[in-house]
Amino acid sequence: MAEIVNLRTVRKQKARAEKATQAEQNRITHGRTKAEKLRSKAEAELAAKRLDSHKLDE
């Protein structure tokens, strides 16, 4: 026998879980110090520069 499930409750639980996931992501993205933000930006720029330097010219 299958368990009876209230679809509205399941939808609300799913929405809460998605909001919690988004909140965690926002805390990771925006909850950093200025030094951490500058460091990650510099690392991204360095990675892009290295990638561009390895491209072949046509």
Side-chain angles (χ1 to χ4, degrees):
M1 212 60 204
E3 184 178 339
I4 297 174
V5 177
N6 187 341
L7 296 178
R8 178 179 38 134
T9 306
V10 172
R11 247 191 322 269
K12 287 182 178 183
Q13 288 175 347
K14 183 180 177 185
R16 283 187 200 113
E18 289 175 0
K19 283 185 179 182
T21 305
Q22 183 63 37
E24 179 66 27
Q25 185 63 35
N26 287 342
R27 281 192 291 274
I28 292 170
T29 305
H30 300 291
R32 298 184 300 162
T33 64
K34 186 174 183 179
E36 290 172 335
K37 290 177 187 178
L38 290 174
R39 180 178 178 204
S40 63
K41 183 180 176 184
E43 288 174 352
E45 288 175 357
L46 181 62
K49 188 175 180 180
R50 284 184 181 164
L51 181 64
D52 288 341
S53 68
H54 285 84
K55 287 184 180 179
L56 297 175
D57 293 330
E58 291 183 9

